[in-house]
Amino acid sequence: RISDKFHPEFKTGDFNGLSVPHRVYNELQVEAHKSKFNGIRVKDRRDISTHEKVLDRKTRVVILKMVNSGIIAQVNGVVSSGKESVIIHCNGGSLPGKDPAPVPDECVLKVHKTTLNEFSRRKDYIDRRYTKLISNNKKKLVEIWSMKEVHNLNRLRRHGVPCPEVVAYRKQLLLLSFIGSKGVPALTLKEAVFSRDQLRSAYEQLISGMKTMFTKCQLVHGDLSAYNLLWFNGTLYFIDLGQGVLSSHTAALTYLYRDCESMHGYFDARGLKGLHDARSMFVEITEFEDLNVKDETVFLTQIEHLQRQEVTNFKHGRQSSDYAFESCFNESILQDVSSSEDEEDEEGGGEGK
């Protein structure tokens, strides 16, 4: 039988009783030889990307190395999946070194997805001086996005704004402290049910956090909504800081006003009494007392003027220089990121940091 002359995985069909020309037989041999090696590793879009709740091969390798190194003691499963990332609950171990530092008992792995079309416009949230360095490389953009979130979260924690703690990160994967208890994540503001006093407390914490972010951290969240604020044990936590921009960004104040409109809409729908409008929230957060909050057209014109002024101040060196994320855009570092990808392709994955 002809089928006996090929490896079992190669489907030849039923040739019983049929005479096959030499040309057809030779073509079958060639295809069987190809399929023998292609069957070892079939590559498709899912092999090189994160999609919904599926992790790509390289990400699984990084997670495995973090487990083998003891940083992660146990991976428990997906607790959340959004348009930008997959959140995996795990138990922490200890950071390697001469004096191993303990990792929080409950952590989450945040894996930024690499297949999102939304990332094509994420360059809008990065300073124009640096976007040319990442061109149209989506994988590199996602890694830069992850580093940006790391530095933004660290800056918030330095100034006392409640947010997850960054334990470790590697490429598009972040190991963060878990906001929740016993594997149950904290509720988002969208899911939480408040008493009247709790709703007032959440609003006050929101204004305080946004004001500290703008005046001390010199950051604007940029995509604030009821879905990326967590409520746990009476405390409001800010999450998803990847799109956060410096106050010197060309659209920072526009983003901030959009955040104010979004949060005003949420608390207004919840029936919070004595709520200021979005323009008054903006003034309270920024302390720009001279803005005209009565006329929206004039207000928006004033914001545009202030944005140009902030950018001018930045260009003249009057912006804070301690923003760690500036180092991420060193061109040589970006080249190192690119070369490390090539090395990882040869070795089968990078080591977790």
Side-chain angles (χ1 to χ4, degrees):
R1 289 172 47 184
I2 290 179
S3 59
D4 294 337
K5 299 181 182 297
F6 302 100
H7 61 85
E9 291 80 8
F10 185 66
K11 306 298 183 182
T12 59
D14 186 7
F15 281 92
N16 292 332
L18 294 179
S19 177
V20 179
H22 289 294
R23 179 179 59 81
V24 174
Y25 178 76
N26 291 337
E27 289 180 356
L28 284 172
Q29 279 189 318
V30 171
E31 292 301 320
H33 182 74
K34 288 181 180 178
S35 68
K36 182 178 180 180
F37 292 98
N38 290 341
I40 296 173
R41 181 62 188 159
V42 179
K43 290 188 177 181
D44 60 20
R45 186 178 182 86
R46 289 173 295 180
D47 293 321
I48 57 175
S49 62
T50 51
H51 177 65
E52 294 184 358
K53 296 183 181 180
V54 181
L55 302 180
D56 67 301
R57 178 178 61 87
K58 291 182 180 179
T59 301
R60 293 197 300 270
V61 170
V62 173
I63 294 175
L64 178 61
K65 289 191 174 185
M66 294 179 79
V67 172
N68 291 339
S69 66
I71 298 176
I72 297 174
Q74 179 176 317
V75 177
N76 300 316
V78 175
V79 294
S80 176
S81 179
K83 65 178 183 179
E84 294 182 358
S85 61
V86 177
I87 308 297
I88 304 170
H89 181 268
C90 58
N91 296 117
S94 61
L95 294 173
K98 293 182 179 179
D99 299 313
V103 174
D105 183 56
E106 289 192 278
C107 297
V108 292
L109 283 166
K110 180 174 184 178
V111 184
H112 286 102
K113 295 180 181 178
T114 59
T115 57
L116 291 179
N117 293 327
E118 286 86 345
F119 273 107
S120 62
R121 60 181 180 82
R122 292 310 186 194
K123 288 187 290 187
D124 296 342
Y125 293 87
I126 297 175
D127 194 286
R128 291 176 183 174
R129 297 175 300 157
Y130 308 124
T131 51
K132 63 180 181 180
L133 297 179
I134 53 180
S135 62
N136 293 319
N137 189 326
K138 289 187 178 181
K139 288 183 66 177
K140 190 179 293 184
L141 178 57
V142 173
E143 291 182 24
I144 291 296
W145 192 265
S146 299
M147 280 194 283
K148 187 165 180 272
E149 180 161 17
V150 167
H151 290 294
N152 287 344
L153 286 170
N154 285 340
R155 177 170 273 216
L156 259 65
R157 288 187 67 85
R158 284 200 303 272
H159 292 280
V161 179
C163 66
E165 176 187 2
V166 179
V167 179
Y169 74 95
R170 172 66 173 170
K171 293 187 176 294
Q172 79 269 20
L173 189 150
L174 278 61
L175 181 63
L176 307 172
S177 60
F178 180 62
I179 310 298
S181 178
K182 298 180 180 179
V184 180
L187 296 175
T188 65
L189 221 59
K190 183 71 175 179
E191 302 165 327
V193 177
F194 296 100
S195 66
R196 184 179 303 176
D197 292 340
Q198 287 175 329
L199 189 64
R200 171 60 62 180
S201 175
Y203 175 76
E204 291 174 350
Q205 290 183 51
L206 171 73
I207 297 298
S208 175
M210 293 177 69
K211 186 173 183 177
T212 301
M213 285 174 62
F214 185 80
T215 59
K216 295 183 179 179
C217 304
Q218 295 181 334
L219 287 175
V220 172
H221 189 287
D223 190 28
L224 203 57
S225 72
Y227 291 98
N228 46 35
L229 289 165
L230 301 181
W231 181 256
F232 183 66
N233 289 342
T235 301
L236 190 70
Y237 291 84
F238 291 77
I239 60 172
D240 295 339
L241 268 294
Q243 69 287 325
V245 298
L246 285 169
S247 58
S248 60
H249 188 279
T250 53
L253 298 184
T254 299
Y255 294 156
L256 178 57
Y257 181 54
R258 186 177 65 189
D259 288 348
C260 290
E261 287 185 310
S262 172
M263 298 318 302
H264 174 269
Y266 169 82
F267 283 100
D268 184 51
R270 289 293 182 108
L272 182 63
K273 295 182 179 180
L275 182 66
H276 296 304
D277 59 31
R279 295 188 292 278
S280 298
M281 285 177 62
F282 182 93
V283 170
E284 185 175 357
I285 290 165
T286 60
E287 299 180 349
F288 294 154
E289 302 292 345
D290 296 332
L291 295 178
N292 185 338
V293 297
K294 295 182 179 180
D295 189 320
E296 184 174 16
T297 302
V298 175
F299 179 81
L300 294 176
T301 302
Q302 290 176 321
I303 284 181
E304 291 178 4
H305 175 73
L306 283 170
Q307 280 181 157
R308 290 194 296 270
Q309 195 174 51
E310 285 290 322
V311 173
T312 301
N313 290 343
F314 179 76
K315 289 180 178 179
H316 286 80
R318 290 193 289 274
Q319 175 74 25
S320 173
S321 60
D322 68 337
Y323 188 44
F325 185 58
E326 294 291 312
S327 63
C328 296
F329 289 108
N330 180 290
E331 190 163 4
S332 62
I333 291 178
L334 290 179
Q335 290 171 352
D336 290 341
V337 170
S338 180
S339 63
S340 68
E341 286 183 357
D342 297 334
E343 293 174 3
E344 185 179 90
D345 288 337
E346 297 177 2
E347 297 174 3
E351 185 176 12
K353 287 185 177 179

